[in-house]
PDB file of all heavy atoms in Angstrom:
ATOM      1  N   PRO P 488      18.961 -28.118 -34.550  1.00 94.00           N
ATOM      2  CA  PRO P 488      19.050 -28.165 -36.014  1.00 94.00           C
ATOM      3  C   PRO P 488      17.746 -27.942 -36.656  1.00 94.00           C
ATOM      4  O   PRO P 488      16.659 -27.839 -36.069  1.00 94.00           O
ATOM      5  CB  PRO P 488      19.428 -29.644 -36.240  1.00 94.00           C
ATOM      6  CG  PRO P 488      18.781 -30.370 -35.116  1.00 94.00           C
ATOM      7  CD  PRO P 488      18.784 -29.421 -33.927  1.00 94.00           C
ATOM      8  N   HIS P 489      17.773 -27.718 -37.975  1.00 90.00           N
ATOM      9  CA  HIS P 489      16.516 -27.519 -38.794  1.00 90.00           C
ATOM     10  C   HIS P 489      15.807 -28.898 -38.950  1.00 90.00           C
ATOM     11  O   HIS P 489      16.467 -29.963 -38.802  1.00 90.00           O
ATOM     12  CB  HIS P 489      16.842 -26.969 -40.156  1.00 90.00           C
ATOM     13  CG  HIS P 489      17.203 -25.495 -40.071  1.00 90.00           C
ATOM     14  ND1 HIS P 489      18.525 -25.107 -39.765  1.00 90.00           N
ATOM     15  CD2 HIS P 489      16.551 -24.339 -40.348  1.00 90.00           C
ATOM     16  CE1 HIS P 489      18.590 -23.816 -39.856  1.00 90.00           C
ATOM     17  NE2 HIS P 489      17.372 -23.311 -40.115  1.00 90.00           N
ATOM     18  N   ALA P 490      14.546 -28.809 -39.270  1.00 86.00           N
ATOM     19  CA  ALA P 490      13.829 -30.114 -39.413  1.00 86.00           C
ATOM     20  C   ALA P 490      14.241 -30.797 -40.698  1.00 86.00           C
ATOM     21  O   ALA P 490      14.144 -32.056 -40.713  1.00 86.00           O
ATOM     22  CB  ALA P 490      12.291 -29.738 -39.436  1.00 86.00           C
ATOM     23  N   TYR P 491      14.657 -30.030 -41.706  1.00 86.00           N
ATOM     24  CA  TYR P 491      15.094 -30.724 -42.879  1.00 86.00           C
ATOM     25  C   TYR P 491      16.323 -29.906 -43.435  1.00 86.00           C
ATOM     26  O   TYR P 491      16.617 -28.794 -42.947  1.00 86.00           O
ATOM     27  CB  TYR P 491      13.993 -30.770 -43.938  1.00 86.00           C
ATOM     28  CG  TYR P 491      13.718 -29.463 -44.609  1.00 86.00           C
ATOM     29  CD1 TYR P 491      14.124 -29.255 -45.924  1.00 86.00           C
ATOM     30  CD2 TYR P 491      13.058 -28.390 -43.963  1.00 86.00           C
ATOM     31  CE1 TYR P 491      13.860 -28.056 -46.581  1.00 86.00           C
ATOM     32  CE2 TYR P 491      12.741 -27.178 -44.691  1.00 86.00           C
ATOM     33  CZ  TYR P 491      13.206 -26.999 -45.947  1.00 86.00           C
ATOM     34  OH  TYR P 491      12.968 -25.848 -46.584  1.00 86.00           O
ATOM     35  N   ARG P 492      17.062 -30.509 -44.357  1.00 87.00           N
ATOM     36  CA  ARG P 492      18.235 -29.931 -44.929  1.00 87.00           C
ATOM     37  C   ARG P 492      17.896 -28.713 -45.706  1.00 87.00           C
ATOM     38  O   ARG P 492      17.061 -28.708 -46.597  1.00 87.00           O
ATOM     39  CB  ARG P 492      19.057 -30.921 -45.738  1.00 87.00           C
ATOM     40  CG  ARG P 492      19.607 -32.045 -44.969  1.00 87.00           C
ATOM     41  CD  ARG P 492      20.060 -33.195 -45.815  1.00 87.00           C
ATOM     42  NE  ARG P 492      21.108 -32.717 -46.737  1.00 87.00           N
ATOM     43  CZ  ARG P 492      21.458 -33.365 -47.884  1.00 87.00           C
ATOM     44  NH1 ARG P 492      20.784 -34.459 -48.244  1.00 87.00           N
ATOM     45  NH2 ARG P 492      22.430 -32.872 -48.657  1.00 87.00           N
ATOM     46  N   VAL P 493      18.546 -27.566 -45.421  1.00 85.00           N
ATOM     47  CA  VAL P 493      18.387 -26.340 -46.203  1.00 85.00           C
ATOM     48  C   VAL P 493      19.631 -26.181 -46.941  1.00 85.00           C
ATOM     49  O   VAL P 493      20.734 -26.089 -46.402  1.00 85.00           O
ATOM     50  CB  VAL P 493      18.169 -25.154 -45.200  1.00 85.00           C
ATOM     51  CG1 VAL P 493      17.926 -23.878 -46.074  1.00 85.00           C
ATOM     52  CG2 VAL P 493      16.961 -25.430 -44.322  1.00 85.00           C
ATOM     53  N   TYR P 494      19.473 -26.086 -48.306  1.00 78.00           N
ATOM     54  CA  TYR P 494      20.628 -26.142 -49.158  1.00 78.00           C
ATOM     55  C   TYR P 494      21.529 -24.915 -48.975  1.00 78.00           C
ATOM     56  O   TYR P 494      22.740 -24.940 -49.201  1.00 78.00           O
ATOM     57  CB  TYR P 494      20.231 -26.202 -50.613  1.00 78.00           C
ATOM     58  CG  TYR P 494      19.648 -24.933 -51.248  1.00 78.00           C
ATOM     59  CD1 TYR P 494      20.495 -24.075 -51.956  1.00 78.00           C
ATOM     60  CD2 TYR P 494      18.268 -24.655 -51.163  1.00 78.00           C
ATOM     61  CE1 TYR P 494      19.988 -22.904 -52.495  1.00 78.00           C
ATOM     62  CE2 TYR P 494      17.764 -23.503 -51.743  1.00 78.00           C
ATOM     63  CZ  TYR P 494      18.630 -22.670 -52.433  1.00 78.00           C
ATOM     64  OH  TYR P 494      18.083 -21.480 -52.933  1.00 78.00           O
ATOM     65  N   TYR P 495      21.042 -23.780 -48.487  1.00 82.00           N
ATOM     66  CA  TYR P 495      21.869 -22.597 -48.208  1.00 82.00           C
ATOM     67  C   TYR P 495      23.045 -22.938 -47.327  1.00 82.00           C
ATOM     68  O   TYR P 495      24.146 -22.419 -47.448  1.00 82.00           O
ATOM     69  CB  TYR P 495      21.074 -21.478 -47.533  1.00 82.00           C
ATOM     70  CG  TYR P 495      19.977 -20.862 -48.382  1.00 82.00           C
ATOM     71  CD1 TYR P 495      18.688 -20.918 -47.992  1.00 82.00           C
ATOM     72  CD2 TYR P 495      20.300 -20.166 -49.582  1.00 82.00           C
ATOM     73  CE1 TYR P 495      17.645 -20.347 -48.743  1.00 82.00           C
ATOM     74  CE2 TYR P 495      19.287 -19.572 -50.316  1.00 82.00           C
ATOM     75  CZ  TYR P 495      17.957 -19.680 -49.919  1.00 82.00           C
ATOM     76  OH  TYR P 495      16.949 -19.107 -50.598  1.00 82.00           O
ATOM     77  N   TYR P 496      22.768 -23.787 -46.340  1.00 88.00           N
ATOM     78  CA  TYR P 496      23.785 -23.988 -45.290  1.00 88.00           C
ATOM     79  C   TYR P 496      24.794 -25.022 -45.670  1.00 88.00           C
ATOM     80  O   TYR P 496      25.706 -25.323 -44.857  1.00 88.00           O
ATOM     81  CB  TYR P 496      23.085 -24.451 -43.974  1.00 88.00           C
ATOM     82  CG  TYR P 496      21.903 -23.500 -43.595  1.00 88.00           C
ATOM     83  CD1 TYR P 496      20.692 -23.902 -43.131  1.00 88.00           C
ATOM     84  CD2 TYR P 496      22.096 -22.112 -43.839  1.00 88.00           C
ATOM     85  CE1 TYR P 496      19.671 -23.061 -42.784  1.00 88.00           C
ATOM     86  CE2 TYR P 496      21.037 -21.197 -43.557  1.00 88.00           C
ATOM     87  CZ  TYR P 496      19.876 -21.630 -43.049  1.00 88.00           C
ATOM     88  OH  TYR P 496      18.817 -20.782 -42.733  1.00 88.00           O
ATOM     89  N   GLU P 497      24.655 -25.559 -46.857  1.00 90.00           N
ATOM     90  CA  GLU P 497      25.671 -26.534 -47.370  1.00 90.00           C
ATOM     91  C   GLU P 497      26.394 -25.961 -48.556  1.00 90.00           C
ATOM     92  O   GLU P 497      27.189 -26.608 -49.210  1.00 90.00           O
ATOM     93  CB  GLU P 497      24.987 -27.835 -47.754  1.00 90.00           C
ATOM     94  CG  GLU P 497      24.398 -28.506 -46.565  1.00 90.00           C
ATOM     95  CD  GLU P 497      23.672 -29.833 -46.920  1.00 90.00           C
ATOM     96  OE1 GLU P 497      23.910 -30.332 -48.022  1.00 90.00           O
ATOM     97  OE2 GLU P 497      22.858 -30.314 -46.134  1.00 90.00           O
ATOM     98  N   LEU P 498      26.238 -24.665 -48.849  1.00 91.00           N
ATOM     99  CA  LEU P 498      26.892 -23.980 -49.985  1.00 91.00           C
ATOM    100  C   LEU P 498      28.321 -23.580 -49.599  1.00 91.00           C
ATOM    101  O   LEU P 498      28.563 -23.208 -48.460  1.00 91.00           O
ATOM    102  CB  LEU P 498      26.025 -22.704 -50.442  1.00 91.00           C
ATOM    103  CG  LEU P 498      24.675 -23.005 -51.053  1.00 91.00           C
ATOM    104  CD1 LEU P 498      23.975 -21.711 -51.344  1.00 91.00           C
ATOM    105  CD2 LEU P 498      24.801 -23.840 -52.280  1.00 91.00           C
ATOM    106  N   THR P 499      29.196 -23.642 -50.640  1.00 91.00           N
ATOM    107  CA  THR P 499      30.524 -23.155 -50.471  1.00 91.00           C
ATOM    108  C   THR P 499      30.721 -21.835 -51.245  1.00 91.00           C
ATOM    109  O   THR P 499      29.712 -21.368 -51.919  1.00 91.00           O
ATOM    110  CB  THR P 499      31.510 -24.185 -51.018  1.00 91.00           C
ATOM    111  OG1 THR P 499      31.242 -24.396 -52.369  1.00 91.00           O
ATOM    112  CG2 THR P 499      31.330 -25.532 -50.223  1.00 91.00           C
ATOM    113  N   ALA P 500      31.907 -21.288 -51.216  1.00 92.00           N
ATOM    114  CA  ALA P 500      32.135 -19.969 -51.855  1.00 92.00           C
ATOM    115  C   ALA P 500      31.849 -20.141 -53.404  1.00 92.00           C
ATOM    116  O   ALA P 500      31.502 -19.120 -54.008  1.00 92.00           O
ATOM    117  CB  ALA P 500      33.549 -19.536 -51.614  1.00 92.00           C
ATOM    118  N   SER P 501      32.090 -21.302 -53.934  1.00 90.00           N
ATOM    119  CA  SER P 501      31.845 -21.434 -55.364  1.00 90.00           C
ATOM    120  C   SER P 501      30.382 -21.569 -55.724  1.00 90.00           C
ATOM    121  O   SER P 501      30.066 -21.553 -56.936  1.00 90.00           O
ATOM    122  CB  SER P 501      32.595 -22.776 -55.865  1.00 90.00           C
ATOM    123  OG  SER P 501      31.987 -23.895 -55.213  1.00 90.00           O
ATOM    124  N   GLY P 502      29.577 -21.745 -54.750  1.00 87.00           N
ATOM    125  CA  GLY P 502      28.128 -21.892 -55.019  1.00 87.00           C
ATOM    126  C   GLY P 502      27.686 -23.327 -55.103  1.00 87.00           C
ATOM    127  O   GLY P 502      26.509 -23.633 -55.199  1.00 87.00           O
ATOM    128  N   SER P 503      28.657 -24.238 -55.035  1.00 90.00           N
ATOM    129  CA  SER P 503      28.312 -25.658 -55.051  1.00 90.00           C
ATOM    130  C   SER P 503      28.053 -26.104 -53.591  1.00 90.00           C
ATOM    131  O   SER P 503      28.401 -25.449 -52.605  1.00 90.00           O
ATOM    132  CB  SER P 503      29.452 -26.461 -55.634  1.00 90.00           C
ATOM    133  OG  SER P 503      30.640 -26.318 -54.879  1.00 90.00           O
ATOM    134  N   ALA P 504      27.358 -27.293 -53.527  1.00 87.00           N
ATOM    135  CA  ALA P 504      26.977 -27.805 -52.206  1.00 87.00           C
ATOM    136  C   ALA P 504      28.102 -28.739 -51.678  1.00 87.00           C
ATOM    137  O   ALA P 504      28.684 -29.433 -52.458  1.00 87.00           O
ATOM    138  CB  ALA P 504      25.646 -28.502 -52.266  1.00 87.00           C
ATOM    139  N   ASN P 505      28.256 -28.720 -50.327  1.00 90.00           N
ATOM    140  CA  ASN P 505      29.208 -29.557 -49.669  1.00 90.00           C
ATOM    141  C   ASN P 505      28.530 -30.309 -48.589  1.00 90.00           C
ATOM    142  O   ASN P 505      28.145 -29.708 -47.494  1.00 90.00           O
ATOM    143  CB  ASN P 505      30.364 -28.781 -49.176  1.00 90.00           C
ATOM    144  CG  ASN P 505      31.391 -29.638 -48.462  1.00 90.00           C
ATOM    145  OD1 ASN P 505      31.233 -30.865 -48.367  1.00 90.00           O
ATOM    146  ND2 ASN P 505      32.459 -29.002 -47.946  1.00 90.00           N
ATOM    147  N   SER P 506      28.126 -31.563 -48.807  1.00 88.00           N
ATOM    148  CA  SER P 506      27.324 -32.251 -47.776  1.00 88.00           C
ATOM    149  C   SER P 506      28.030 -32.449 -46.453  1.00 88.00           C
ATOM    150  O   SER P 506      27.428 -32.776 -45.435  1.00 88.00           O
ATOM    151  CB  SER P 506      26.891 -33.646 -48.333  1.00 88.00           C
ATOM    152  OG  SER P 506      27.999 -34.428 -48.652  1.00 88.00           O
TER     153      SER P 506
END
Side-chain angles (χ1 to χ4, degrees):
H489 288 80
Y491 76 105
R492 291 168 61 200
V493 180
Y494 75 94
Y495 294 118
Y496 309 140
E497 298 178 16
L498 292 176
T499 62
S501 64
S503 60
N505 180 2
S506 62

